[in-house]
């Protein structure tokens, strides 16, 4: 006899985990100590990440997907690829047959917006519609829905993470945390298998690729390294296959409607070729077949793009492929035989596939939501600690355009660090703080995240002001920057929320460039640092010549002027060693003059003073000199004044 499931209206809301995917999305919760996916009335767990904006209303999921062939511009597919992107991003135009709002129509000119009928919608609003559907599905099954953990690719930047978090709020969800997808998958596997060891998570979804090396030990999940591509996935396979279908159908210029049909046909062929050797397709009156061998040739360039990030993640983690205890597959695209074969060939071991790769991320998110909400998994027996990492280094631009890294990549989050800087010129009344992200030595080669100015500092001699910059990265991977001038207490903070996302391959390219240009970048950094130091010495020497002219000996000034000219000439060349030699030569020739100036200053300072007062002032001056020296050591690559906050 069938039984009714009765909900207690006073029952505590259950936390949920959401996998907001590019192609499909899922929601899960913990039931009787086990993570369980929510299914709809047709027993299906996957909700297509598709939204149709009709004149009569909005459809989400499978009903929306069916509208795509007839209404390709009003049916938004794979919206995750648009999250955090700018309207002027060239890659935006390649991602679908959509009509984009112009500069005067979009609510925010710097963020891409879709034009549907007489309104504009942003990727955040589209994602919110998907999240609402998932929330409603969960409510139908469990009654009262509590706070949520939403997963994001590990390589999502600040803009994409902020956009995802805001979409959750628009959907009426309390977002407990954004959780990196690979970490969620490892969490699901770790609890299910109760294994300790080092694992690599290979996550190839519809639109994003993540690779993460984690160490699982007694309930602690520590991310050792992470990498990937925020614009690589099964959608790229579909596009390659759709182009062949259109070519075989002798269609040279396809309408948006026909492009959508070709993409749907390609996806169907891709799914079929997972289990069979030959699959047929239809496009209007045209028909054809594609073999698995043909498919493998078409998608091989896409699959091969995953190899570089995998090898870099292993190198960053200090792990050889042979040392891995397992490889976890995540994402629907990993069902494709060529992907599994490539993973096994590169890593030398058969990947784990005990848990459905489409569901594993949502299951891990449900586990984390349950733990964060104060519940305990019956099988776990203890708390689980997640230690994610910063995927790219964070820092600020210093004199000479140098990128000074404050939080290095692969630092465990949440985290904080601070660094102290000083002024370059006399009477400087403000600091411009330029926050950058990347691995290159010069700020111009890194990604700009934010700029803000700290004003109101009283004029002081160069080197006297103390600017303390603190970076804090929270559990969601979002950055907050705080700057304070310690002698005056002037301070300012900024939450880094850039208005555009990374272009396709940019995150991957940033790491590649850092590797390819390592020696060149180091030379540029040495050159920039040498020029800054040379200018500082020249300015100090010129000031000394003006203020201490009476202390110069006969013939001394021409020698100093000649050394200054030689240093000026050296700075115009691209040889950091020549600049260093010329700087040292100027220091040497000005040594006796500087000593006389110091003796004169001391004599004037102590005139009419008692010994005790002088001792106190000397002690205080030594403290300032030590602080300045520490700063100079930082600039020269010596011990850095950075501490966990």
């Amino acid at each position: 006899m069938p039984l009714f499931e009765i909900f207690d209206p006073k029952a505590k809301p259950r936390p949920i985990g959401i996998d907001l995917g590019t192609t499909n999305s899922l929601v899960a919760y913990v039931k009787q100590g086990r993570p369980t996916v929510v299914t709809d009335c047709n027993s299906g767990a996957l909700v297509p990440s598709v939204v149709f904006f009709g004149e009569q209303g909005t459809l989400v999921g499978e009903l929306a997907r069916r509208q795509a062939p007839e209404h390709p511009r009003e049916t938004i597919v794979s919206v995750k690829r648009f999250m955090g992107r700018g309207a002027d991003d060239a890659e935006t135009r390649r991602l679908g047959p959509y009509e984009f709002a112009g500069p005067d129509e979009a609510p925010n000119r710097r963020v891409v917006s879709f034009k549907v009928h007489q309104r504009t919608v942003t990727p955040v609003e589209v994602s919110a519609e998907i999240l609402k559907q998932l929330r409603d599905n969960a409510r139908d099954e469990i009654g009262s829905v509590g706070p949520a953990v939403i997963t994001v690719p590990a390589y999502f930047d600040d803009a994409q993470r902020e956009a995802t978090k805001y979409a959750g709020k628009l959907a009426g969800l309390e977002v407990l945390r954004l959780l990196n997808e690979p970490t969620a998958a490892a969490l699901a596997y770790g609890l299910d298998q109760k294994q300790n060891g080092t694992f690599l998570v290979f996550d190839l979804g519809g639109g994003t690729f993540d690779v993460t090396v984690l160490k699982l030990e007694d309930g602690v999940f520590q991310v050792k390294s992470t990498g990937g591509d925020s614009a690589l996935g099964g959608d790229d396979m579909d596009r390659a296959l759709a182009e062949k279908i259109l070519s075989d159908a002798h269609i040279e210029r396809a309408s948006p409607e026909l492009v959508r049909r070709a993409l749907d046909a390609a996806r169907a062929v891709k799914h079929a070729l997972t289990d069979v050797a030959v699959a047929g397709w239809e496009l209007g009156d045209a028909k054809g077949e594609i073999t698995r061998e043909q498919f493998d040739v078409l998608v091989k360039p896409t699959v091969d793009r995953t190899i570089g990030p995998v090898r870099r993640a292993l190198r960053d983690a200090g792990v050889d492929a042979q040392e891995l205890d397992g490889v976890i597959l995540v994402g629907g695209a990993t069902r494709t035989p060529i992907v599994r074969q490539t993973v096994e060939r590169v890593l030398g071991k058969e990947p784990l596939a005990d848990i459905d790769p489409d569901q594993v991320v949502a299951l891990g998110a449900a586990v984390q939501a349950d733990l964060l909400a104060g519940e305990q998994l019956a099988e776990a027996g203890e708390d689980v600690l997640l230690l994610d990492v910063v995927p790219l280094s964070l820092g600020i631009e210093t004199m000479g355009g140098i990128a000074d890294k404050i939080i290095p990549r692969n630092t465990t989050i949440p985290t904080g660090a601070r660094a102290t800087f000083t002024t370059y010129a006399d009477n400087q009344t403000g600091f411009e703080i330029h926050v950058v992200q990347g691995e290159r030595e010069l700020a111009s080669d890194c990604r700009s995240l934010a700029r803000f100015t700290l004003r109101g500092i009283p004029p002081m001699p160069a080197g006297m002001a103390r600017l303390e910059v603190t970076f804090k990265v929270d559990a969601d991977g979002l950055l907050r920057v705080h700057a304070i001038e310690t002698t005056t207490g002037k301070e300012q903070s900024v939450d880094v929320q850039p208005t555009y996302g990374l272009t396709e391959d940019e995150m991957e390219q940033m790491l590649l460039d850092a590797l390819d240009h390592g020696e060149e970048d180091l030379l540029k950094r040495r050159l920039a640092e040498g020029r800054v130091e040379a200018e500082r010495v020249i300015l100090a020497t010129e000031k000394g010549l003006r203020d201490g002219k009476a202390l110069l000996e006969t013939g001394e000034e021409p020698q100093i002027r000649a050394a200054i000219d030689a240093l000026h000439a050296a700075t115009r060349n691209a040889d950091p060693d020549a600049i260093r030699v010329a700087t040292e030569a100027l220091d040497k020739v000005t040594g006796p003059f500087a000593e006389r100036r110091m003796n004169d200053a001391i004599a004037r300072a102590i005139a009419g003073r008692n010994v005790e007062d002088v001792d106190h002032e000397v002690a205080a001056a030594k403290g300032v000199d030590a602080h300045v020296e520490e700063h100079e050591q930082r600039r020269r690559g010596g011990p850095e004044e950075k501490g966990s906050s």
Side-chain angles (χ1 to χ4, degrees):
M1 178 182 297
L3 299 174
F4 285 108
E5 184 170 2
I6 300 175
F7 298 122
D8 180 358
K10 295 183 180 180
K12 184 179 178 181
R14 293 195 188 185
I16 57 174
I18 294 176
D19 175 8
L20 185 61
T22 307
T23 307
N24 296 295
S25 297
L26 300 90
V27 58
Y29 67 103
V30 172
K31 180 180 181 181
Q32 296 178 351
R34 301 289 294 173
T36 306
V37 295
V38 170
T39 57
D40 58 23
C41 56
N42 297 315
S43 298
L46 297 178
V47 175
S49 300
V50 183
V51 180
F52 169 67
F53 293 93
E55 293 184 280
Q56 305 303 317
T58 302
L59 298 176
V60 180
E62 182 58 33
L63 292 176
R65 193 178 65 80
R66 294 174 188 170
Q67 304 296 320
E70 299 296 330
H71 305 281
R73 287 193 173 95
E74 293 79 24
T75 308
I76 312 300
V77 179
S78 298
V79 71
K80 191 171 179 177
R81 284 196 160 192
F82 293 92
M83 292 291 272
R85 286 190 179 275
D88 56 353
D89 188 340
E91 179 63 18
T92 297
R93 308 288 165 174
R94 296 182 58 247
L95 292 179
Y98 307 113
E99 184 177 356
F100 297 99
D104 298 328
E105 301 168 301
N108 185 335
R109 294 185 181 186
R110 294 170 294 181
V111 177
V112 65
S113 295
F114 306 101
K115 190 174 180 181
V116 290
H117 303 300
Q118 302 303 313
R119 61 178 291 201
T120 59
V121 293
T122 65
V124 169
E125 294 173 285
V126 177
S127 297
E129 293 294 334
I130 299 169
L131 290 169
K132 287 177 187 176
Q133 184 65 53
L134 295 169
R135 178 202 64 192
D136 292 345
N137 289 356
R139 185 175 293 160
D140 290 342
E141 181 164 325
I142 64 180
S144 183
V145 172
V149 167
I150 302 176
T151 62
V152 293
Y155 254 46
F156 256 24
D157 66 4
D158 281 303
Q160 292 163 314
R161 289 171 187 267
E162 278 291 344
T164 302
K165 201 167 189 177
Y166 187 54
K169 293 179 181 178
L170 281 182
L173 293 167
E174 178 193 346
V175 181
L176 281 171
R177 181 180 174 182
L178 300 180
L179 179 64
N180 286 346
E181 291 166 1
T183 309
L187 182 56
Y189 258 98
L191 289 177
D192 187 68
Q193 303 295 328
K194 297 184 179 62
Q195 293 185 36
N196 285 338
T198 303
F199 293 81
L200 183 141
V201 181
F202 185 99
D203 183 356
L204 186 63
T208 58
F209 171 60
D210 284 322
V211 56
T212 300
V213 179
L214 307 101
K215 187 172 183 180
L216 285 65
E217 188 171 11
D218 298 330
V220 177
F221 289 66
Q222 183 175 8
V223 177
K224 305 299 289 184
S225 67
T226 188
D229 190 327
S230 62
L232 172 65
D235 288 354
D236 298 283
M237 300 181 187
D238 296 342
R239 280 202 285 269
L241 191 50
E243 288 175 5
K244 175 171 176 55
I245 290 174
L246 289 169
S247 175
D248 290 352
H250 305 293
I251 298 172
E252 295 183 1
R253 300 184 65 181
S255 65
E257 292 80 6
L258 202 55
V259 169
R260 174 50 58 198
R261 287 196 176 96
L263 286 169
D264 288 343
R267 185 171 289 115
V269 168
K270 178 182 71 176
H271 292 168
L273 289 175
T274 299
D275 302 311
V276 299
V278 181
W281 56 265
E282 293 186 13
L283 190 63
D285 295 330
K287 296 182 180 180
E289 289 184 341
I290 293 179
T291 66
R292 184 179 292 174
E293 287 76 14
Q294 291 174 312
F295 173 76
D296 288 351
V297 171
L298 287 170
V299 303
K300 188 177 186 298
T302 297
V303 178
D304 284 349
R305 284 172 58 191
T306 66
I307 297 174
V310 166
R311 288 177 173 160
R312 277 189 292 279
L314 288 172
R315 183 177 61 248
D316 290 345
V319 174
D320 291 329
Q322 307 91 283
E323 298 177 82
L324 293 173
D325 294 289
V327 179
I328 300 171
L329 294 183
V330 181
T334 61
R335 296 181 186 276
T336 308
I338 187 175
V339 172
R340 299 194 175 204
Q341 292 163 7
T342 301
V343 171
E344 187 170 355
R345 173 173 56 82
V346 171
L347 298 176
K349 51 175 49 67
E350 184 178 356
L352 300 172
D354 300 353
I355 303 177
D356 187 330
D358 283 321
Q359 297 185 5
V360 64
V361 168
L363 295 174
V367 169
Q368 179 67 356
D370 197 59
L371 291 166
L372 289 177
E375 303 293 336
Q376 292 294 317
L377 280 177
E379 279 76 7
E382 57 183 73
D383 288 339
V384 175
L385 178 63
L386 293 179
L387 301 175
D388 272 335
V389 296
V390 175
L392 288 173
S393 298
L394 299 165
I396 67 171
E397 180 178 358
T398 58
M399 278 299 299
I402 296 166
D404 191 43
K405 297 177 178 63
I406 294 178
I407 297 182
R409 68 183 295 256
N410 286 328
T411 298
T412 300
I413 61 172
T415 188
R418 67 169 58 94
T420 302
F421 304 88
T422 190
T423 47
Y424 171 77
D426 290 341
N427 303 320
Q428 190 172 330
T429 59
F431 290 91
E432 181 177 291
I433 293 115
H434 181 201
V435 184
V436 296
Q437 176 186 41
E439 306 311 311
R440 303 289 294 275
E441 297 295 334
L442 299 185
S444 59
D445 294 323
C446 294
R447 181 168 184 254
S448 175
L449 290 183
R451 291 178 185 268
F452 64 98
T453 303
L454 184 64
R455 295 185 176 90
I457 299 169
M460 287 184 272
M464 291 299 294
R466 292 288 173 269
L467 178 69
E468 187 176 89
V469 179
T470 302
F471 278 26
K472 288 186 178 180
V473 181
D474 65 18
D476 294 323
L478 301 176
L479 171 65
R480 182 174 178 81
V481 180
H482 177 261
I484 182 171
E485 203 289 308
T486 57
T487 63
T488 63
K490 295 285 185 181
E491 61 183 329
Q492 188 168 338
S493 297
V494 62
D495 292 318
V496 177
Q497 300 177 17
T499 55
Y500 57 91
L502 296 176
T503 59
E504 183 174 359
D505 294 333
E506 186 177 17
M507 189 74 79
E508 177 72 8
Q509 196 61 45
M510 290 168 82
L511 294 177
L512 283 171
D513 288 345
L515 293 171
D516 294 342
H517 301 282
E519 292 185 8
E520 174 191 342
D521 284 353
L522 188 58
L523 179 64
K524 288 180 179 178
R525 182 181 182 113
R526 288 181 58 214
L527 183 62
E529 289 177 333
R531 285 171 172 166
V532 168
E533 177 66 10
E535 289 299 322
R536 185 190 68 79
V537 171
I538 289 171
L539 285 174
T541 304
E542 294 280 10
K543 185 175 185 297
L545 289 174
R546 288 193 305 270
D547 298 344
K549 203 170 186 65
L551 298 173
L552 286 167
E553 294 183 350
T554 304
E556 194 171 31
E557 184 172 0
Q559 291 180 342
I560 294 175
R561 292 289 181 189
I564 290 175
D565 292 341
L567 183 52
H568 271 306
T571 60
R572 289 191 286 270
N573 297 320
D575 185 352
D577 291 327
I579 295 174
R580 176 181 54 79
V581 170
T583 302
E584 291 172 353
L586 179 57
D587 279 338
K588 184 176 182 180
V589 78
T590 57
F593 174 54
E595 186 175 343
R596 289 195 298 275
R597 288 192 66 222
M598 183 177 294
N599 291 337
D600 180 68
I602 292 172
R604 284 187 284 108
I606 65 176
R609 309 286 296 280
N610 61 51
V611 175
E612 186 177 338
D613 289 340
V614 173
D615 284 343
H616 284 309
E617 291 183 10
V618 169
K622 285 182 177 178
V624 172
D625 289 343
H627 208 109
V628 172
E629 178 58 26
E630 281 191 73
H631 172 73
E632 290 304 319
Q633 282 185 338
R634 279 176 35 72
R635 298 298 303 274
R636 294 192 296 266
E640 296 187 347
E641 185 180 349
K642 296 180 184 177
S644 177
S645 62

